[in-house]
Amino acid sequence: MKENNQLQIMLVEDSKSDAALLKEHILLSGNHICLNYAGSLKEAFDYIQYNHIDAILLDLSLPDSHGLDTLQRTRQTFPHLPIVVLTGVEDETVGFQALRMGAGDYLIKGQVDGQLIIRSIHYTVERKAIEKALHQANLEQQMQYRKLLQSQQQLEQSRRNYSDLFDFAPIGYFVLDEKGLIVDVNSTAIVMLEAKKEDLLGKPLSDCICNEDRIVFFDNDNHVFHANACRQCQLKIRKNDSSFFYAELKIDPVFNSESRVIQSRVAMID
C-alpha cells in the first residue's frame, strides 16, 4: 500500500553503484518517492508478487535476463504495471524498441537527474492509468454492445414468434390502417376469403363485406379508432368467388407508444 501518498517504485538494477546513484538523484529531487531495490529479475518478481508497486524502473541487462527479453518477461508477468526502461548510452535504439513493446518511457543512464527521473515516472504512471481507463471503457462499451445485440436478437425472435402466431392462428386476422385498408392478413383469413395475399393488401376490408352490412362495419371500426374500445359484430362476408358466409368480427385497437390508436386488428370467426 502507499505510505504518506508516496509512489512505490521498484528499481531493478544489478549494478549497486548505478542503483545508489539513481537513488541519490531521486532523494535529492525532494519528491514523494519510495524506492525499492532488486538486483535481479527473479528478486523483483518475488517482491512485486506480495507487495504494492506503482511503477518499475527496469535495467535491461540483469544476471538472469538480458535485452528486450527482460522487458517482455516483465510485461507478461505484470501487464498492469507502468515500466520505465533504463539503457546505456550506446543502447538508445533499444529504448525506442522498448517503447514499441509497451514501455512507458526510457532513460539513458548517465544522462539523467532526479527531476527527469521523477517526471518520467509520473508521466508513465499517468499514461498507464489513462490506458487502463480507456481499456475499461472499451470493455464496458463491448459489453453494452453485446447486451444490445442480444436484446435485438431476442426482439427479432419475439417478432418471428408473433409472426408465426399471427400467420398460423386458427382464426382469420386482418390489420387495418386508419382508412380501413388492409396492411396485413394471416393465412387463415386468406383461405377463408379464397383470395391471394397480394390481392388483399392495400384493399379496404369493406370490399369483402356484403353491401347491406358495410355500414355496420364502418360504424364499429370508427368506434374503435375514436373511442379506443373493442367492438364486435356479425356480418355477411363475400368470398373472392362472390359466394358468401356469415362471420363474427371482433375489432380491437392497436396503440402506439403514445397510447394513440394507429391501427385496428380484426379477428374473423366463421
Side-chain angles (χ1 to χ4, degrees):
M1 298 294 292
K2 291 183 183 181
E3 299 178 2
N4 301 322
N5 295 321
Q6 287 183 321
L7 281 177
Q8 297 289 327
I9 305 301
M10 169 57 70
L11 170 61
V12 190
E13 169 63 73
D14 65 327
S15 170
K16 291 184 178 180
S17 59
D18 286 348
L21 184 60
L22 289 167
K23 185 174 182 179
E24 182 181 354
H25 283 318
I26 291 173
L27 289 175
L28 290 175
S29 70
N31 283 270
H32 297 290
I33 296 289
C34 180
L35 197 64
N36 305 274
Y37 172 75
S40 68
L41 204 58
K42 182 182 184 306
E43 184 183 349
F45 284 7
D46 289 344
Y47 183 90
I48 296 172
Q49 186 174 359
Y50 298 104
N51 296 275
H52 174 80
I53 290 295
D54 293 299
I56 301 173
L57 276 172
L58 182 66
D59 183 20
L60 297 181
S61 297
L62 299 170
D64 52 353
S65 186
H66 185 77
L68 292 172
D69 183 60
T70 306
L71 173 62
Q72 184 176 5
R73 289 172 60 188
T74 305
R75 277 184 47 77
Q76 287 175 346
T77 308
F78 302 105
H80 63 288
L81 284 179
I83 300 173
V84 177
V85 166
L86 300 171
T87 71
V89 176
E90 68 277 7
D91 294 330
E92 187 170 0
T93 56
V94 175
F96 288 112
Q97 289 178 300
L99 293 178
R100 287 194 290 270
M101 291 176 60
D105 199 3
Y106 77 94
L107 298 173
I108 301 175
K109 290 189 290 186
Q111 297 185 10
V112 296
D113 57 26
Q115 290 300 326
L116 181 59
I117 296 171
I118 298 303
R119 190 160 53 245
S120 177
I121 291 172
H122 280 294
Y123 164 78
T124 303
V125 169
E126 289 300 320
R127 177 182 172 183
K128 195 69 175 180
I130 292 172
E131 289 176 356
K132 183 179 179 180
L134 289 174
H135 178 67
Q136 182 62 33
N138 185 51
L139 288 178
E140 291 175 359
Q141 188 177 41
Q142 289 179 8
M143 185 178 298
Q144 291 174 353
Y145 173 75
R146 285 195 294 269
K147 287 182 178 179
L148 177 61
L149 184 61
Q150 185 179 22
S151 297
Q152 290 175 335
Q153 290 172 341
Q154 291 172 345
L155 178 60
E156 183 59 33
Q157 184 60 49
S158 296
R159 286 174 177 167
R160 286 196 293 268
N161 293 341
Y162 170 79
S163 178
D164 289 344
L165 289 172
F166 175 83
D167 205 38
F168 300 109
I171 60 177
Y173 276 114
F174 301 85
V175 178
L176 310 182
D177 64 13
E178 293 176 333
K179 297 179 180 179
L181 302 180
I182 301 171
V183 296
D184 202 1
V185 57
N186 75 345
S187 298
T188 303
I190 293 171
V191 172
M192 292 172 74
L193 296 177
E194 297 181 359
K196 295 180 180 179
K197 186 170 185 176
E198 57 266 28
D199 294 334
L200 292 174
L201 294 178
K203 175 181 178 180
L205 180 58
S206 57
D207 286 1
C208 303
I209 299 171
C210 292
N211 293 339
E212 61 268 28
D213 283 347
R214 285 183 182 177
I215 188 66
V216 177
F217 169 73
F218 288 139
D219 287 343
N220 281 275
D221 194 46
N222 287 334
H223 183 84
V224 168
F225 275 95
H226 295 98
N228 299 352
C230 302
R231 298 289 286 192
Q232 195 164 342
C233 55
Q234 189 173 45
L235 303 176
K236 188 176 180 181
I237 308 299
R238 186 173 61 234
K239 296 183 180 181
N240 195 44
D241 63 358
S242 296
S243 62
F244 67 90
F245 64 95
Y246 287 96
E248 190 80 20
L249 266 62
K250 186 175 182 295
I251 310 173
D252 293 302
V254 178
F255 300 93
N256 64 7
S257 59
E258 299 174 352
S259 299
R260 187 176 72 85
V261 180
I262 55 171
Q263 293 176 328
S264 63
R265 184 174 57 246
V266 181
M268 180 180 288
I269 307 170
D270 60 3

